[in-house]
């Protein structure tokens, strides 16, 4: 049975910088690419192989001699995505990730995680502040609603205190309706 060339699925998660598998022009045999243990069992696109600068990699035992586009499935949303060779080169040579680090989440899930971390940091910095103006307080309420919807903020009593404070400070803002909705959904779940 002849080797079939892999095809990227039509529904893979798009990347903001890279669109599709692009032949690199380096004709590297698949067998040589697969000498790196991390490519075992992966769907790879050998035509996208680019040589690695192993002197810029952090590795414990074996360097990665080539980067190649890899078809992955996101651990977060289960959708297919491509971990592009150029993206790997950036991770391992520019950002200094160890080459044993693997990309397990699509770019959309990674962005969502980063956004939630920023929101949580902002919320944590402001929840105890007493000197918030109305705009900052509205943002705090919006952060609390987003974190509650994501399952990160689950303290119903804290949400109730925020709602009660919002009723006094910003009764006419949409943020109040949003936190009311979150609290009623918590009551419905219980």
């Amino acid at each position: 049975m002849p080797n079939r060339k892999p095809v990227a699925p039509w529904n893979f998660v798009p990347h903001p910088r890279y669109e599709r598998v692009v032949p690199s022009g380096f004709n590297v045999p698949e067998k040589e690419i697969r000498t790196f243990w991390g490519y075992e069992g992966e769907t790879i696109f050998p035509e996208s192989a680019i040589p690695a600068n192993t002197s810029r990699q952090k590795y414990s035992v074996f360097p990665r001699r080539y980067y190649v586009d890899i078809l992955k499935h996101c651990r977060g949303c289960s959708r297919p995505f491509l971990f592009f060779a150029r993206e790997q080169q950036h991770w391992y040579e520019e950002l200094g990730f160890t080459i044993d680090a693997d990309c397990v989440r699509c770019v959309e899930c990674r962005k969502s995680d980063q956004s939630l971390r920023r929101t949580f940091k902002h919320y944590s910095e402001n929840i105890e502040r007493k000197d918030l103006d109305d705009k900052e307080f509205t943002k705090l309420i919006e952060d609390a609603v987003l974190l509650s919807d994501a399952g990160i903020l689950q303290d119903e009593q804290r949400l109730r205190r925020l709602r009660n404070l919002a009723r006094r400070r910003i009764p006419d803002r949409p943020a109040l309706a949003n936190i009311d909705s979150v609290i009623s959904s918590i009551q419905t779940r219980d």
Side-chain angles (χ1 to χ4, degrees):
M1 178 186 251
N3 279 349
R4 291 180 34 205
K5 185 176 176 181
V7 176
W10 63 270
N11 63 340
F12 73 93
V13 178
H15 193 285
R17 286 189 196 100
Y18 314 105
E19 294 180 18
R20 57 184 164 45
V21 175
V22 177
S24 65
F26 295 97
N27 292 324
V28 183
E30 184 173 345
K31 187 176 181 179
E32 189 174 337
I33 294 168
R34 289 198 183 271
T35 58
F36 179 69
W37 69 270
Y39 293 147
E40 290 176 17
E42 297 281 5
T43 301
I44 65 171
F45 297 85
E47 69 273 17
S48 67
I50 55 176
N53 180 349
T54 56
S55 68
R56 299 196 66 192
Q57 294 178 351
K58 291 182 182 174
Y59 55 90
S60 55
V61 181
F62 296 107
R64 192 179 290 212
R65 293 177 45 214
Y66 298 97
Y67 304 114
V68 62
D69 294 355
I70 307 170
L71 179 63
K72 301 270 199 183
H73 284 82
C74 180
R75 191 178 285 171
C77 66
S78 300
R79 295 183 299 167
F81 71 98
L82 290 172
F83 187 26
F84 290 94
R86 297 272 179 219
E87 186 178 12
Q88 292 170 52
Q89 186 177 43
H90 179 71
W91 275 36
Y92 305 123
E93 294 180 15
E94 303 299 323
L95 298 177
F97 291 10
T98 63
I99 62 162
D100 294 339
D102 194 15
C103 184
V104 295
R105 298 174 76 79
C106 69
V107 71
E108 289 178 7
C109 287
R110 292 191 314 246
K111 278 185 180 180
S112 176
D113 288 349
Q114 290 168 350
S115 176
L116 280 174
R117 281 193 298 274
R118 280 191 301 273
T119 300
F120 184 74
K121 181 179 183 223
H122 186 264
Y123 172 83
S124 298
E125 290 169 350
N126 290 303
I127 189 63
E128 299 301 326
R129 284 186 49 202
K130 304 289 185 216
D131 62 337
L132 297 174
D133 63 25
D134 286 353
K135 185 177 178 181
E136 292 169 326
F137 184 70
T138 301
K139 177 68 171 128
L140 178 68
I141 299 295
E142 291 168 353
D143 289 347
V145 168
L146 190 125
L147 293 170
S148 177
D149 287 345
I152 295 170
L153 184 61
Q154 299 177 348
D155 185 348
E156 183 180 350
Q157 291 306 315
R158 179 164 282 192
L159 290 168
R160 286 180 183 283
R161 283 192 300 273
L162 277 172
R163 179 194 58 191
N164 293 339
L165 191 55
R167 283 183 175 162
R168 289 191 297 273
R169 287 193 57 183
I170 54 169
D172 57 339
R173 301 262 174 109
L176 179 60
N178 292 343
I179 199 164
D180 277 337
S181 172
V182 166
I183 291 171
S184 23
S185 74
I186 290 172
Q187 291 169 341
T188 307
R189 283 185 292 206
D190 294 343

